[in-house]
Amino acid sequence: MSIFLIRLFQFMLAISLLVLLHELGHFTFAKLFKVRVSRFYLFFNPKFHILSTYDTWVRRLLRLSPEVVPEKEIEETDNDGKVVKTKKKEYVGTEYGLGWLPLGGYCAIDGMIDETNQKLSEETHPWEFRTKPVWQRLLIMVGGVLVNFLLALFIYSMILFAWGDTYLPVQNMSYGMKFNTEAKALGFHDGDILLSADGKAFKEYGGDLFRDISKAREVKVRRDGKEVSIALPGDLNMLNMIKEEPRFVAPLLPMSIDSIVPGTPAEKMGLKVGDKILNINGHAVADHNDFIYELGRLKDMMTGAVTAEDSMKVRTAQMVVARTDSARVDTLQTVLNVEQDGSLTLGFVNKAMANFETVTTEYGFFQSFPAGIKYGWNVLAGYVDDMKYVFTADGAKSLGGFGAIGSLFPPVWDWYMFWKMTAFLSIILAFMNILPIPALDGGHVLFLFYEMITGRKPSDQFMIRAEYVGFGILILLMVVANLNDILRWLGYM
């Protein structure tokens, strides 16, 4: 199975699970307060659906009576134009279904203005959302967000219980770190071992490390066996720190060829274990970081290749190699391989990272819950803190759509990474849905708080218009995010 299909299947499975449970949160509170839910759908179903069934099928199976409202007299006109009065029972069961458009899902709650665009009659009924007390309506609206947030904490807890927390402390990266020009101008040196930011010890290399450095006034490092303090402004742009090439900081890895992959350009050009690449196309290579950077530069050049000849010209690289078995230095030429993601590879393995000692913390079943809650809360806090970058030009460019989210899943099936990504997406879904934007749960919550404070309910006409505005904002964000994916794929971003 191709990498694309593996990632697509993981993405679809995670999103389906999260959307289903999110809508189940709304559904559960609605049923608890005896509010009718006319439809419960995974995925959207404009014009048609894939599957559909009423809960009467389940009720018959369990020998339960159909859910109906009391009989009432209804005036109807017969074929002769004569007014007749009949008694009629109205069905109020739930239609469960699977739509064809995999962009989410919904449950249609009677008496509520939402994305289902249902028409509200002038006559109100006791089973409708709009007739319930405001506190019940509030719980119905936050039900989905609550489920997603609690689900994320539960998944993180179970991850810690099943796999523990294995990480590589930055202090154990014995070669230190590699810094770019901006970082060196602030006082960092290649080989510095990061210790702490404003007194808080660094744990591992990742988003939290960049975030802590960006807000720090003082970072301590170990340099030549001594502890050195580096003063920082406290307001570095974390987005730029991560996006820049080379990055603000990255683990420093020596230029080391530890094994050769058979059939690759590395084998064909005669590279041996222990050889060192000193230069690529006239650019000096001091360590493995420089080597990766140069390959990345060539990958960027590939996006401008129009013909096969142009592509071959970029892929053809000249390298200066120091031989391990002699004092000889050779100049070799090879054609780099192109991977499915567009990256260029030579075909050797650098095992420097494997030499660093990792740390594993194991948790019992009951220990995993407070640890999982702490972990999930830290993920949420970091995500919320990073939201400020969305409202900048670079932040807008960094938005990603379905392609970007799907690429976060591993290229091979890995249950640990699948559940970790599912928990992360659950946190994002919870946070994004609680934003005070009409058409999102947070928009409805905002209007409910307004009603609680003022004692006045916004008019139906106002709610309909607000829903359209909010839906327009969401569509715009979706278009921008997925357009960014396309531009990145084409090499324009």
Side-chain angles (χ1 to χ4, degrees):
M1 189 182 294
S2 70
I3 291 175
F4 171 78
L5 290 178
I6 292 173
R7 281 178 165 156
L8 176 64
F9 184 70
Q10 291 180 88
F11 172 69
M12 292 300 298
L13 180 59
I15 290 297
S16 299
L17 176 66
L18 296 180
V19 168
L20 188 66
L21 293 177
H22 177 91
E23 297 302 332
L24 189 61
H26 295 305
F27 180 87
T28 301
F29 277 105
K31 287 294 186 180
L32 180 65
F33 299 128
K34 302 187 184 308
V35 175
R36 173 181 168 184
V37 179
S38 56
R39 292 190 303 279
F40 186 96
Y41 264 76
L42 176 62
F43 304 152
F44 292 115
N45 60 321
K47 302 298 183 182
F48 68 94
H49 53 255
I50 297 174
L51 294 173
S52 175
T53 180
Y54 281 93
D55 64 356
T56 47
W57 182 86
V58 179
R59 288 175 171 276
R60 282 195 221 101
L61 186 67
L62 299 177
R63 298 184 180 276
L64 297 175
S65 59
E67 198 175 344
V68 293
V69 298
E71 291 183 352
K72 60 180 181 180
E73 282 192 341
I74 298 177
E75 289 188 355
E76 295 180 341
T77 305
D78 61 15
N79 294 334
D80 298 327
K82 184 180 177 182
V83 176
V84 295
K85 292 183 178 180
T86 61
K87 287 188 176 181
K88 186 177 180 181
K89 288 185 177 181
E90 183 180 350
Y91 172 76
V92 292
T94 303
E95 177 191 355
Y96 301 96
L98 176 67
W100 61 269
L101 187 60
L103 297 179
Y106 68 95
C107 61
I109 300 174
D110 274 24
M112 175 181 167
I113 297 171
D114 58 10
E115 70 277 4
T116 59
N117 199 27
Q118 61 175 302
K119 299 285 190 296
L120 299 183
S121 63
E122 292 184 5
E123 182 184 3
T124 60
H125 303 284
W127 63 83
E128 288 186 324
F129 175 84
R130 55 181 170 172
T131 64
K132 299 299 179 180
V134 66
W135 67 270
Q136 291 186 4
R137 284 180 278 143
L138 183 62
L139 286 175
I140 292 171
M141 290 317 308
V142 300
V145 169
L146 183 63
V147 166
N148 281 133
F149 183 63
L150 294 178
L151 175 66
L153 299 183
F154 176 76
I155 293 176
Y156 281 132
S157 299
M158 292 301 95
I159 288 174
L160 294 177
F161 172 64
W163 288 281
D165 183 16
T166 299
Y167 63 96
L168 174 59
V170 289
Q171 293 87 347
N172 290 3
M173 296 179 180
S174 53
Y175 300 112
M177 309 301 282
K178 176 89 171 181
F179 299 90
N180 67 7
T181 304
E182 180 191 357
K184 290 177 180 177
L186 292 168
F188 292 100
H189 292 183
D190 286 343
D192 284 350
I193 297 176
L194 294 170
L195 299 178
S196 65
D198 289 341
K200 177 186 175 183
F202 293 114
K203 182 182 177 183
E204 59 185 321
Y205 180 77
D208 286 344
L209 181 140
F210 282 92
R211 191 175 298 108
D212 290 342
I213 292 178
S214 70
K215 296 188 291 186
R217 291 287 181 178
E218 179 190 50
V219 169
K220 289 186 177 180
V221 302
R222 185 177 295 114
R223 181 182 301 164
D224 299 327
K226 298 179 181 179
E227 190 174 289
V228 177
S229 294
I230 300 172
L232 296 180
D235 59 352
L236 296 176
N237 188 305
M238 190 188 84
L239 189 62
N240 290 340
M241 293 168 66
I242 295 175
K243 287 181 61 179
E244 286 174 344
E245 289 293 341
R247 281 187 171 187
F248 185 92
V249 57
L252 176 60
L253 302 176
M255 185 65 245
S256 173
I257 298 175
D258 298 311
S259 64
I260 305 294
V261 180
T264 60
E267 183 184 57
K268 294 173 183 177
M269 69 186 290
L271 283 183
K272 304 293 182 183
V273 172
D275 289 350
K276 289 188 177 182
I277 298 172
L278 304 178
N279 191 291
I280 301 179
N281 293 341
H283 298 276
V285 173
D287 43 53
H288 191 67
N289 302 66
D290 290 343
F291 175 77
I292 296 299
Y293 173 69
E294 291 302 325
L295 291 190
R297 217 165 47 82
L298 293 176
K299 176 187 175 182
D300 292 339
M301 293 172 63
M302 282 283 290
T303 60
V306 178
T307 65
E309 290 78 10
D310 293 337
S311 175
M312 183 61 68
K313 186 177 180 180
V314 174
R315 290 170 57 201
T316 302
Q318 184 171 283
M319 303 185 186
V320 178
V321 180
R323 295 300 189 175
T324 184
D325 54 0
S326 68
R328 195 173 81 246
V329 175
D330 293 336
T331 299
L332 308 171
Q333 186 170 292
T334 189
V335 178
L336 300 168
N337 280 347
V338 182
E339 299 300 311
Q340 285 190 345
D341 63 356
S343 61
L344 301 178
T345 60
L346 184 57
F348 70 87
V349 177
N350 184 321
K351 298 181 180 178
M353 287 289 287
N355 296 328
F356 299 142
E357 184 180 353
T358 60
V359 172
T360 299
T361 304
E362 295 184 350
Y363 296 89
F365 181 74
F366 294 106
Q367 292 175 315
S368 68
F369 287 99
I373 292 170
K374 181 179 178 182
Y375 188 98
W377 186 259
N378 183 59
V379 170
L380 177 62
Y383 185 77
V384 172
D385 186 63
D386 297 342
M387 281 296 292
K388 60 178 177 286
Y389 296 110
V390 174
F391 304 102
T392 66
D394 288 336
K397 292 179 182 178
S398 70
L399 288 174
F402 300 119
I405 297 173
S407 67
L408 295 176
F409 287 91
V412 294
W413 193 272
D414 183 332
W415 280 112
Y416 170 79
M417 287 304 300
F418 170 79
W419 287 117
K420 197 169 185 179
M421 274 304 306
T422 302
F424 178 63
L425 291 178
S426 194
I427 287 276
I428 292 177
L429 187 61
F431 175 74
M432 295 300 294
N433 260 287
I434 205 63
L435 291 176
I437 299 174
L440 292 178
D441 297 341
H444 291 281
V445 169
L446 177 66
F447 295 132
L448 286 171
F449 275 129
Y450 168 81
E451 183 181 343
M452 291 173 70
I453 294 170
T454 64
R456 296 193 301 273
K457 184 187 296 186
S459 68
D460 290 347
Q461 194 63 33
F462 172 82
M463 293 293 290
I464 291 172
R465 290 175 179 172
E467 194 77 15
Y468 284 140
V469 171
F471 211 72
I473 293 173
L474 296 181
I475 293 296
L476 178 62
L477 287 173
M478 189 179 296
V479 169
V480 170
N482 286 284
L483 181 61
N484 284 348
D485 284 350
I486 296 172
L487 292 176
R488 289 190 197 97
W489 182 68
L490 295 174
Y492 291 106
M493 287 183 65

